[in-house]
C-alpha cells in the first residue's frame, strides 16, 4: 500500500483525489492547500489529514508519494522539496516555467533516487491512444499532416493566476504543451516551429489568448496546432486531432460526446441553460486514473515511469521555442 | 444574354454550365475546347454546342460574355483574347500563375471596357455571408486570429503539372480563403510564412501546406491548403474558419449543410449536401453586373491580391523565412 499526500486541492487536485477512490493499492493520507476549506473538503473523502502548509505534508515520514497539484509557478519548488524529502513525485504539467528549473527538478529527483513524473495525461486519453494505434496499424499509411485544437474558455476567468504569463506560462506553455508532448512522443523530435498569436499584445490577465503554431518534425511530418483561450466560462472546452497520411485520415473530436445534459438553472431571476458535456469512462481507461495508477505501479515495481521526465522537459523546450518564435517573428529550430 | 464556355480543363465548368442553364435570360453559346474528345463529351453531356477553336465563340458578335475554365497558365491569353473581342469575362481562380499575367488581364479588360470577374464563389455561400455580417456588426469585438482550412482531395491531371497550374495545393487552395479574409477585413496581407511538402502523393508538386499570414490590420491567420483528404473521405474537402475575437469566437463550416449517406456501392459514407449552390448565386451576380453595368462584385484586383499571397507562400518556403510585402 502506497501512502499519498496531495498538495493543492483546487481543480486538478480534486480530479486526482477522486481517481484514488478507484486505486485500491494507494491511500491518500494527507492533503494541503493554503485555502483550508479546500484541503479539508478533499481530505474528508478519505478521512485524511489536512494542512495549510505543504511542508507539513512533505515532512511526514509515513508518506511515500507526493502528488503536486499547485499552480505552475510553484511546481519546481515543491518537486525539489519533495524529492529532497525522498518522496516519489507526480507533478502536474507543465513541468516548470523555464528550462533551467526543469533541469533542476530532474537533478533533484535523480540525486535522491526517487521516481519523478510529469502528468502528461494526454498520453492516457483513450482517443489519443487510439490515434496512435491507428497510425501504428498502418491504416492511414504514413502519417504526414497533423492538425490539433485545444481550448475554449479562458481559465483565468475561474483562476486568475492562469492569466499571468509569469505564473502559468500562458496558453502555449500551459495547454498546448499537452499536444506538443503527444506529437513529439508520437512523431519524434521537432525540427522547427513558427508561431503567431497575441501573447505579446495581451494586457490584462482576463484578455483572451489565441495562438496558432506550425511545427515541422524531423521525420517530415507537418503539424498545425491551435491553442485557444478566447472563450468565457460558458464556452465548452474541447480538443481535436486529425492525422492525414499517405493512405487515409483519422480524426478525433471531443465535442462529439455521448451525453449532453441541459439543465435550467435559476440565475438572478432569469432561467439559464447550462450544458454539461460528459464522456463517461470506467476507471480502467479513465485517463487521470490510469495515469496515476501506472505511475504508482512503476513506484511499486521500481520500473521505468510511463512518461520520462526528459520528455516533459523536451515538451517544455518546444513550448518555449514557440513563444520565442512569436516574439522574434521567425521560424526557429528547437535547440536543446 | 449569350455566354460561352472557354475550355473545360477545370471541373468547375460542369457546375457552371448547369448553373447558367438555371439563370433566366441566359443562353449558352457553347463550349470551346481544343481537346476534341473531352469537349464533345462535355457538349453532349450538357446539351450545348461544341467548338474546337474558342475563337469561333469569340468571333460570334451575339456572344456577350465568357466563362474561362482553362488550366491556370492559360487564363491570361484566353482572357486577353476575349477582352479584345469585347466579351465580358469571368475567369476561374486563381486569376493567373504570375502577377504580370494577372495585371495584363486586368489592363486588357479595362482598355476594352469589359467586365473582369474572378470566380470566388465562396463569397456567395450564405454561411460565409452571415459570418461576414457577424464580424462587420462587431459581435466578436476585435478579431484576434483565425485558423482556416481549405482542404481537398488530390485533383490529379494538369493540376499537378506546374507549367499549367503554377504549383500544387498552395496555388489551388490559398486564394479562396485569402479572398474571404481580404473581403471581410478590407485589409491586405503584409506578411507570409509557409511550410509545404509533397507528403502524401507521388506527384511533382506540393500536396500539403500550412500558410501563416498577417494582415495590415494586425489580424493573424493560418490556412491549411492541403490535398490531404483521401479518396475515401465523405466529401471533396472543406472551407472552414475558426475565428477568435475579444468578445467571442465563431466556427464556420461553409459546407456543413449536409446529411450523411451510406452506400454499399462505394463502401464508405458520403456527405449529401443540401445547402445553397454558390456557383449559381455567383453567376447570377455576374450576369446582373453586366446587365446593369455595375462594378464587378469580385474584381481582377481581388484575384491578383489573392494570387500574390500564394506566390509569397512559395517564396517563403524557398527562403524558409517570413516574407514581408
Ligand atoms: N492535466 C490536466 O489536464 C490539467 C488540468 C488543469 C490543470 N492542470 C495543471 O495543474 C496545476 C493546477 O491547476 P488547477 O487548475 O488545479 O489550479 P487551481 O488554482 O484550481 O488549484 C491550485 C490549488 O493550489 C493551491 N495552492 C496555491 N499555492 C499553494 C501553496 N503554496 N501550498 C499549497 N497549496 C497551494 C490553491 O489554493 C489552489 O487550491 C497547474 O499547473 C495546471 O497547469 C492540469
Amino acid at each position: 500500500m502506497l501512502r499519498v499526500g496531495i498538495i493543492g486541492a483546487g481543480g486538478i487536485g480534486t480530479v486526482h483525489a477522486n481517481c484514488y477512490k478507484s486505486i485500491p493499492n494507494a491511500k491518500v493520507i494527507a492533503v494541503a492547500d493554503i485555502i483550508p476549506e479546500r484541503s479539508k473538503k478533499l481530505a474528508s473523502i478519505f478521512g485524511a489529514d489536512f494542512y495549510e502548509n505543504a511542508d507539513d505534508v512533505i515532512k511526514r515520514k509515513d508518506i511515500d508519494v507526493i502528488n503536486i497539484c499547485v499552480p505552475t509557478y510553484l511546481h519546481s519548488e515543491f518537486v525539489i522539496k519533495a524529492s529532497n524529502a525522498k518522496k516519489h513525485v507526480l507533478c502536474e504539467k507543465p513541468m516548470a516555467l523555464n528550462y533551467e528549473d526543469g533541469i533542476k527538478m530532474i537533478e533533484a529527483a535523480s540525486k535522491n533516487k526517487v521516481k519523478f513524473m510529469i502528468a502528461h495525461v494526454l498520453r492516457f486519453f483513450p482517443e489519443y491512444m487510439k490515434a496512435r494505434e491507428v497510425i501504428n496499424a498502418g491504416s492511414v499509411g504514413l502519417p504526414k499532416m497533423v492538425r490539433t485544437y485545444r481550448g475554449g474558455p479562458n481559465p483565468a476567468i475561474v483562476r486568475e493566476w492562469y492569466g499571468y504569463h509569469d505564473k502559468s506560462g500562458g496558453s502555449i506553455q500551459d495547454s498546448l504543451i499537452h499536444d506538443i508532448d503527444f506529437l513529439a512522443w508520437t512523431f519524434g523530435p521537432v525540427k522547427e516551429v513558427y508561431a503567431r498569436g497575441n501573447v505579446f499584445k495581451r494586457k490584462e490577465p482576463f484578455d483572451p489568448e489565441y495562438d496558432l503554431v506550425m511545427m515541422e518534425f524531423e521525420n517530415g511530418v507537418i503539424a498545425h496546432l491551435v491553442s485557444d483561450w478566447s472563450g468565457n466560462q460558458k464556452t465548452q472546452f474541447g480538443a481535436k486531432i486529425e492525422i492525414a497520411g499517405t493512405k487515409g485520415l483519422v480524426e478525433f473530436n471531443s465535442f462529439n460526446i455521448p451525453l449532453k445534459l441541459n439543465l435550467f438553472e435559476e440565475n438572478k431571476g432569469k432561467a439559464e441553460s447550462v450544458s454539461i458535456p460528459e464522456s463517461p469512462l470506467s476507471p480502467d481507461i479513465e485517463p487521470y486514473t490510469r495515469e496515476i495508477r501506472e505511475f504508482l505501479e512503476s513506484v511499486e515495481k521500481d520500473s521505468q515511469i510511463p512518461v520520462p521526465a526528459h520528455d516533459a522537459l523536451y515538451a517544455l523546450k518546444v513550448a518555449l521555442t514557440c513563444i520565442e518564435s512569436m516574439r522574434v517573428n521567425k521560424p526557429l529550430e528547437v535547440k536543446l | 444574354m449569350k455566354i460561352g464556355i472557354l475550355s473545360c480543363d477545370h471541373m468547375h465548368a460542369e457546375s457552371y454550365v448547369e448553373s447558367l442553364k438555371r439563370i433566366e435570360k441566359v443562353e449558352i453559346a457553347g463550349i470551346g475546347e481544343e481537346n476534341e474528345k473531352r469537349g464533345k463529351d462535355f457538349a453532349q453531356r450538357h446539351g450545348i454546342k461544341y467548338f474546337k477553336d474558342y475563337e469561333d465563340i469569340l468571333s460570334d458578335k451575339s456572344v456577350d460574355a465568357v466563362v474561362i475554365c482553362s488550366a491556370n497558365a492559360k487564363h491570361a491569353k484566353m482572357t486577353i483574347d476575349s477582352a479584345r473581342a469585347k466579351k465580358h469575362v469571368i475567369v476561374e481562380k486563381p486569376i493567373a500563375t504570375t502577377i504580370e499575367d494577372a495585371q495584363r488581364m486586368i489592363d486588357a479588360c479595362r482598355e476594352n471596357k469589359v467586365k473582369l470577374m474572378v470566380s470566388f464563389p465562396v463569397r456567395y455561400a450564405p454561411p460565409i455571408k452571415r459570418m461576414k455580417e457577424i464580424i462587420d456588426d462587431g459581435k466578436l469585438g476585435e478579431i484576434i486570429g483565425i485558423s482556416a482550412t481549405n482542404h481537398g482531395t488530390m485533383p490529379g491531371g494538369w493540376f499537378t503539372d506546374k507549367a499549367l497550374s503554377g504549383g500544387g495545393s498552395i496555388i489551388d487552395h490559398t486564394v479562396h480563403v485569402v479572398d474571404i479574409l481580404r473581403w471581410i477585413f478590407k485589409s491586405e496581407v503584409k506578411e507570409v510564412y509557409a511550410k509545404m511538402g509533397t507528403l502524401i502523393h507521388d506527384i511533382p508538386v506540393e500536396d500539403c501546406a500550412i500558410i501563416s499570414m498577417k494582415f495590415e490590420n494586425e489580424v493573424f491567420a493560418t490556412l491549411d491548403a492541403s490535398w490531404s483528404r483521401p479518396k475515401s473521405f465523405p466529401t471533396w474537402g472543406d472551407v472552414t474558419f475558426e475565428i477568435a475575437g475579444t468578445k467571442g469566437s465563431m466556427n464556420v463550416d461553409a459546407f456543413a449543410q449536409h446529411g450523411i449517406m451510406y452506400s454499399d456501392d462505394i463502401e464508405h459514407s458520403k456527405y449529401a449536401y443540401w445547402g445553397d449552390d454558390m456557383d449559381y448565386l455567383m453567376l447570377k451576380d455576374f450576369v446582373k453586373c453586366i446587365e446593369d453595368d455595375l462594378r464587378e462584385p469580385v474584381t481582377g484586383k481581388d484575384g491578383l491580391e489573392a494570387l500574390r499571397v500564394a506566390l509569397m507562400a512559395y517564396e517563403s518556403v524557398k527562403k524558409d523565412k517570413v516574407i514581408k510585402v
Side-chain angles (χ1 to χ4, degrees), chain A residues 149-154 228 230-239 253-262 275-279, chain B residues 249 251:
Chain A
Y149 171 88
R150 178 165 308 276
N154 180 356
D228 180 8
S230 71
N232 65 16
Q233 63 270 50
K234 281 189 198 155
T235 313
Q236 192 186 322
F237 173 84
N253 182 342
S254 79
F255 293 98
N256 302 334
I257 42 150
L259 213 149
K260 284 175 200 158
L261 172 67
N262 282 298
S275 130
I276 305 162
E278 283 186 57
S279 186
Chain B
S249 63
N251 285 281

Side-chain angles (χ1 to χ4, degrees), chain A residues 144-145 147 149 192 194 196-198 208 210 212 214 216 220 222 224 226 230 242 244-246 248-249 329 331, chain B residues 144-147 149 151 191 193 195 199-200 208 210 212-214 220 222 224 226 228-230 242 244 320 322:
Chain A
K144 292 293 183 181
M145 273 296 285
R147 298 183 62 79
Y149 171 88
E192 200 179 66
Y194 180 73
R196 276 193 216 272
N198 68 337
Y210 186 74
L212 302 173
M214 292 160 68
E216 187 178 347
I222 296 178
H224 178 268
V226 182
S230 71
E242 171 194 299
T246 50
L249 181 149
N329 188 21
Chain B
I144 303 168
I146 296 177
S147 164
T149 64
H151 290 121
E191 281 180 28
Y193 179 74
K195 276 200 186 294
L199 303 182
I200 296 180
C208 287
I210 305 273
S212 175
M213 50 205 146
K214 194 167 185 179
F220 57 89
T222 55
D224 187 333
S226 302
S228 55
R229 308 295 97 166
E242 171 191 304
D320 191 23
V322 180

Side-chain angles (χ1 to χ4, degrees), chain A residues 8-28:
Chain A
I12 201 71
T14 305
V15 172
H16 280 216
N18 283 317
C19 294
Y20 284 99
K21 288 185 201 162
S22 35
I23 302 178
N25 56 338
K27 190 171 165 35
V28 177

Side-chain angles (χ1 to χ4, degrees), chain A residues 7-13 16 32-35 38 52-54 68-75 78 92-94 119 121 125 159 161-162 174 178 288 291:
Chain A
I7 299 179
I12 201 71
H16 280 216
D33 198 298
I34 44 167
I35 300 176
R38 291 191 185 165
E52 268 183 65
N53 191 336
I68 296 177
C69 297
V70 290
T72 305
Y73 59 95
L74 295 169
H75 287 182
F78 282 133
E92 261 309 328
K93 47 44 63 184
V121 73
F125 267 67
R159 293 284 195 264
W161 66 267
Y162 277 105
D174 184 84
H178 282 294
Y288 295 90
E291 163 188 76

Side-chain angles (χ1 to χ4, degrees), chain A residues 85-96:
Chain A
K86 309 280 182 214
K87 312 295 185 199
H88 302 289
V89 186
L90 175 62
C91 174
E92 261 309 328
K93 47 44 63 184
M95 184 175 217

Side-chain angles (χ1 to χ4, degrees), chain A residues 72 93-94 97 149-179 196-199 202 204-212 225-233 235-238 323, chain B residues 144-145 220 242-249:
Chain A
T72 305
K93 47 44 63 184
L97 284 174
Y149 171 88
R150 178 165 308 276
N154 180 356
I157 294 168
V158 181
R159 293 284 195 264
E160 189 174 339
W161 66 267
Y162 277 105
Y164 300 95
H165 267 242
D166 56 354
K167 292 199 163 117
S168 72
S171 82
I172 291 181
Q173 225 179 311
D174 184 84
S175 298
L176 200 70
I177 202 155
H178 282 294
D179 301 291
R196 276 193 216 272
N198 68 337
V199 167
R202 298 169 66 247
E204 304 298 325
F206 301 108
D207 285 348
E209 182 175 339
Y210 186 74
D211 306 314
L212 302 173
L225 301 85
V226 182
S227 186
D228 180 8
W229 275 5
S230 71
N232 65 16
Q233 63 270 50
T235 313
Q236 192 186 322
F237 173 84
I323 297 168
Chain B
I144 303 168
F220 57 89
E242 171 191 304
I243 305 173
T246 51
K247 284 191 193 159
S249 63

